[in-house]
Amino acid sequence: ELKSKNIVSTIVVICGRNIVLKESFEQRDWNNLMLSLETKDTDTNLPPKKKTGIISKFTTSSIEMLSKKGKQFLKDRSGSVDEIDEQCEEEKKQDGNDLAEIIPQQESQVKVEPLGFITNMAEYMVAADVLVTKAGPGTIAEAASVGLPVMLTSFLPGQEEGNVDFVLEKKFGEYRTDAEPNNVASGVSSWLQDPDLMVQMSNSARDAGNPNAARDIVRKIGTSVLRWKEHHPNLEIDAETNK
């Protein structure tokens, strides 16, 4: 779908702990797959290339949020960190021009990067334009915290249905079943071809997110414990028996 619409993109596949799935992606001949699609498109009139790269709306502020690992992720695909910093300075002088117009395009239109299990998910979320995922509450919360639109493709009945409703009500994503992958791809492609919609959904995600939730929860628990101790100054609790 991305290929047929001539959208330059990198698909990063986070396989969790599914080693078999990761290996299947690594062993697949993506170049031949892309060539076969190019052959099918030879006689069609394609629209001009969209300069999305791996990030269609990657602003200077987003670059500055990345840690060293995040910058290394960009370095591997876009040049040195110094070049990225220079590009950011150039962007500031161009009255808000998209960094995607500055960072070189990928050699091929669609690249697939199977990563397996990772521990720096936040950095990839900051670098991404769209997240395609099941309706897990933690994943949705993390995406909302960084303003990342989500395409939900599955959910656990009962347990995760409300998460789908949350995303739809807050207007930072859609639900399209993974039983119809072409429909999922079509939805993501339409998003990437509509910059105004992407900005709108990203802003809606930030409005719905609460990046300081963990800190606030710990603070409330700590405050409750201190108040309890103030009201029970002579009561001691055995740490082993909680009595």
Side-chain angles (χ1 to χ4, degrees), residues 9 20 42 47 89 96 101 121 168-169 176 188 192 201 216 218 221 226 237 240:
S9 58
V20 175
T42 300
E89 291 301 321
E101 298 293 332
M121 180 67 77
L168 298 180
E169 290 171 1
R176 300 195 182 198
V188 172
L192 294 175
M201 287 197 297
D216 294 341
V218 171
I221 293 174
L226 290 176
I237 297 178
E240 295 183 359

Side-chain angles (χ1 to χ4, degrees), residues 12-16 22 25-26 73 77 113-118 120 124:
V12 179
V13 183
I14 311 299
C15 305
K22 177 177 181 292
F25 276 107
E26 290 176 336
F73 174 78
R77 292 158 178 76
E113 299 280 352
L115 298 181
F117 179 76
I118 63 173
N120 56 334
Y124 284 92

Side-chain angles (χ1 to χ4, degrees), residues 185-196:
S186 176
V188 172
S189 297
S190 66
W191 290 1
L192 294 175
Q193 291 180 309
D194 190 342
D196 292 337

Side-chain angles (χ1 to χ4, degrees), residues 17 27 30 36-37 46 49 54 85-86 92 96 110 112 117 136 142 151 159 163 180 186 191-192 210 215 231 233:
R17 300 183 187 277
Q27 295 169 4
W30 295 104
S36 67
L37 292 174
L46 295 175
K49 288 185 178 179
I54 59 170
D85 290 337
E86 291 175 3
K92 292 177 182 178
V110 179
V112 179
F117 179 76
E142 291 170 355
M151 174 65 76
Q159 181 177 343
N163 301 336
E180 300 176 0
S186 176
W191 290 1
L192 294 175
N210 188 353
R215 181 202 64 187
H231 287 84

Side-chain angles (χ1 to χ4, degrees), residues 169-238:
E169 290 171 1
K170 298 300 183 179
K171 299 181 179 179
F172 66 99
E174 293 182 19
Y175 172 78
R176 300 195 182 198
T177 175
D178 54 11
E180 300 176 0
N182 289 339
N183 189 34
V184 174
S186 176
V188 172
S189 297
S190 66
W191 290 1
L192 294 175
Q193 291 180 309
D194 190 342
D196 292 337
L197 176 62
M198 290 290 291
V199 171
Q200 179 182 334
M201 287 197 297
S202 180
N203 290 336
S204 295
R206 289 191 180 91
D207 291 340
N210 188 353
N212 299 319
R215 181 202 64 187
D216 294 341
I217 291 171
V218 171
R219 180 174 294 171
K220 287 185 177 181
I221 293 174
T223 300
S224 297
V225 171
L226 290 176
R227 287 178 178 173
W228 187 92
K229 291 183 68 175
E230 289 175 358
H231 287 84
H232 303 83
N234 299 320
L235 184 62
E236 295 184 1
I237 297 178
D238 190 313

